[in-house]
Amino acid sequence: MTSTRTPIIAGNWKMQHGGRSGCELAAAIRRDLADPRGVSVVVAPPFTALAAVSAELDGSAISVAGQNMHAAGSGAFTGEISAAMLKEAGASWVILGHSERRQLFGETDAGVAEKTGAALAAGLRPIVCVGETLAERDAGRTFDVVLAQVAAVTATLAPSAGHAIAYEPVWAIGTGRNATAAQAEEVHARIRALLAETSVALAEATPILYGGSVKPDNAAALLSCPNVDGALVGGASLDSRQFLAIVAAAHGP
Ligand code: 13P
């Protein structure tokens, strides 16, 4: 991390804690996060818990994110949620293009770009997820895949947009096998170099988070990399103590 970008630790609860237990988890995080010390802390509950978790966290330093949204403002899209609805429920962030959305629900680079533009237009801060599969890494295609995913959204971004990018290698998600700090830094640096081709200001302003089996015992090493500006945490964000230990790792010594 560099001193110019605020570190971000975001918890992606995925399809867990969609009701009362989400409020309990949020309340525990709020209670024990005595002082975020310059770290931006975000939780992403399922849609059904968004409003209640937002109310639970009202007045705290913890922000709330949706896990997905539709690009349209409203309309006949059964089962979908708009950016304005997320905002109304208390979200200020939205995770877009998570690999589970891309792999299991057919999301494309073009669709993720459309959603990113729509989120920004609505005043929501997107966390755009990118990452290669194990087969793509083994085939030496990591940079091709990841940089193409980033390139797809670059035109929608501006230095002051408030967005973030999350590099989440698919082989590291939920596997307990995190990228090493060197592997993460290598990809993050390439992402930042790509952003710099658009503008140096955009590259400098964009927080690039790492996600994939981030745990209290590996967070400090990952977060100490110059181009790793935070973490998008899955499993470990479901336990307030583990999540807050990762937030503490972002403070530095
Ligand atoms: P895990 O931390 O469980 O590997 O999940 C990472 C992730 O997908 C966050 O979005």
Side-chain angles (χ1 to χ4, degrees):
M1 283 180 293
T2 74
S3 55
T4 53
R5 288 181 292 273
T6 301
I8 299 167
I9 303 296
N12 177 6
W13 297 357
K14 307 192 179 183
M15 199 168 73
Q16 287 136 155
H17 296 296
R20 184 192 302 250
S21 69
C23 289
E24 289 166 3
L25 177 56
I29 294 168
R30 178 179 193 158
R31 184 189 62 227
D32 295 336
L33 181 68
D35 178 5
R37 285 175 54 196
V39 179
S40 211
V41 180
V42 183
V43 295
F47 293 142
T48 50
L50 260 179
V53 165
S54 296
E56 192 71 53
L57 296 175
D58 191 36
S60 79
I62 304 162
S63 305
V64 175
Q67 297 178 15
N68 180 33
M69 55 170 256
H70 196 280
S74 64
F77 301 106
T78 301
E80 293 291 327
I81 303 276
S82 72
M85 291 172 186
L86 290 178
K87 281 191 74 176
E88 198 176 0
S92 50
W93 292 85
V94 60
I95 297 170
L96 294 176
H98 191 279
S99 64
E100 287 148 18
R101 300 291 323 165
R102 293 177 189 263
Q103 293 204 308
L104 305 174
F105 301 97
E107 294 210 12
T108 62
D109 285 352
V112 174
E114 198 187 349
K115 290 183 180 193
T116 303
L120 290 167
L124 269 184
R125 303 178 67 180
I127 300 174
V128 180
C129 301
V130 299
E132 82 287 4
T133 64
L134 186 57
E136 289 162 344
R137 176 163 280 263
D138 287 346
R141 297 186 51 231
T142 297
F143 295 131
D144 289 352
V145 170
V146 170
L147 297 181
Q149 290 170 339
V150 175
V153 297
T154 307
T156 65
L157 305 178
S160 60
H163 62 282
I165 289 174
Y167 169 56
E168 297 206 307
V170 179
W171 48 271
I173 295 177
T175 59
R177 179 185 163 194
N178 62 289
T180 64
Q183 286 173 320
E185 173 61 19
E186 185 183 33
V187 178
H188 285 225
R190 287 290 290 267
I191 293 171
R192 202 173 308 284
L194 178 72
L195 296 172
E197 289 176 19
T198 297
S199 95
V200 172
L202 178 65
E204 287 302 314
T206 300
I208 306 177
L209 318 184
Y210 168 78
S213 296
V214 177
K215 307 290 177 198
D217 62 357
N218 61 26
L222 288 159
L223 293 167
S224 69
C225 298
N227 285 294
V228 176
D229 304 308
L232 183 52
V233 184
S237 75
L238 303 177
D239 178 288
S240 63
R241 274 167 305 180
Q242 287 192 45
F243 185 60
L244 291 172
I246 295 168
V247 173
H251 295 151

